[in-house]
Amino acid sequence: MNYNRVVCFDLEMCCWSKDDIANQRSTKSTGEIIEIGLAEIDLSQGVIVKRAQFFVKPEHDEISGFCYELTGITPRKVQKQGRPLEDVLHSLVKNFGGPRKIYASWGRDDEILRAECEQKGLDFPFKEFVNLATIYRLKSRLKDKRIGHRAAQESLNIEWEGRQHSGYVDAYNLAKVALAIL
C-alpha cells in the first residue's frame, strides 16, 4: 500500500428531474455510473500528479435532458467515448494502482461504486477508502452539520475551478481539498 499517494475520485450517474420520476421514469432506471473522474495526489510533495476521466456506457439507463443539463454529459459523448464499466475499472486499476492505493471521495461514492459492481458481477477495484467529508467535518468541529464539497472548498479559501458536476473537474477540486486537510 502506498500511503504517500491518494486517488481522489468522483462519480456522475444517470439522473432525472422530479417530473421524470413522477411520470414513472424511475421504474426502469437504476442511476448507473456514466463518468468516473480521478485525480491522484502525492502527499509528500503536496501536488496533484495525475488526472483522468472515464465515460461509462450505461447498460440499462438513458441520459436524460436533466442529467445533461446538470453534468454536461451528452448521450452522444457517452456513446462515442464511453466503455463498459468492467473495461473502465481495468483502466482505473492499470493507471492508478487499484487496491495498492488509497481512494478518497466527498461522501460515500465508494458504496455507490461497490453496489454497481455487485449488481454487474464485477470485482470492486480498491480496498482502502477515505471519506474526505468526514475528515473535513472532524477538523472543522462540525458535529451535526453536513457541508457540500464546494462550500467546504470555499471555506478553505481554495478557488473552485471548472464546471461543477463533472467527475473530472470535481475530482480535481477534491484533490486540492485533500491536499489542504490530509
Side-chain angles (χ1 to χ4, degrees):
M1 183 67 62
N2 186 341
Y3 290 98
N4 286 322
R5 297 283 182 106
V6 175
V7 179
C8 298
F9 74 102
D10 185 75
L11 305 175
E12 298 302 326
M13 287 90 59
C14 288
C15 53
W16 299 269
S17 70
K18 290 179 183 176
D19 290 340
D20 289 338
I21 293 169
N23 293 328
Q24 303 293 328
R25 177 79 190 167
S26 64
T27 58
K28 29 182 183 170
S29 60
T30 61
E32 285 179 281
I33 296 166
I34 55 173
E35 181 193 10
I36 302 175
L38 303 117
E40 184 172 337
I41 59 174
D42 183 316
L43 292 172
S44 62
Q45 295 181 16
V47 295
I48 298 169
V49 294
K50 188 185 318 185
R51 295 174 69 187
Q53 175 181 44
F54 299 105
F55 290 105
V56 182
K57 282 187 180 177
E59 293 177 13
H60 307 286
D61 291 341
E62 294 178 10
I63 298 171
S64 69
F66 173 81
C67 189
Y68 161 69
E69 289 296 321
L70 182 67
T71 66
I73 301 170
T74 65
R76 182 174 169 87
K77 182 179 281 188
V78 169
Q79 188 61 36
K80 290 182 87 174
Q81 297 177 27
R83 297 181 292 146
L85 181 60
E86 182 175 24
D87 294 351
V88 168
L89 294 177
H90 287 300
S91 294
L92 185 152
V93 169
K94 179 181 176 188
N95 294 306
F96 287 89
R100 295 186 312 274
K101 296 277 177 68
I102 298 167
Y103 286 76
S105 69
W106 193 267
R108 296 306 309 259
D109 281 11
D110 64 312
E111 290 179 357
I112 294 166
L113 181 58
R114 183 183 306 276
E116 192 162 330
C117 285
E118 286 175 9
Q119 255 180 344
K120 295 180 177 179
L122 304 173
D123 291 332
F124 188 62
F126 50 84
K127 293 182 173 132
E128 294 286 332
F129 172 78
V130 175
N131 181 344
L132 293 172
T134 300
I135 291 172
Y136 176 84
R137 285 179 39 216
L138 289 169
K139 287 184 94 92
S140 302
R141 304 292 189 255
L142 300 175
K143 238 201 266 187
D144 298 322
K145 184 179 175 189
R146 294 180 55 104
I147 187 167
H149 169 199
R150 188 169 186 157
Q153 185 164 327
E154 289 170 357
S155 77
L156 293 167
N157 295 316
I158 301 170
E159 184 179 342
W160 184 274
E161 295 179 52
R163 177 191 178 131
Q164 192 172 12
H165 300 298
S166 157
Y168 184 71
V169 169
D170 290 355
Y172 172 71
N173 282 297
L174 186 58
K176 295 190 302 183
V177 170
L179 287 170
I181 67 174
L182 294 179

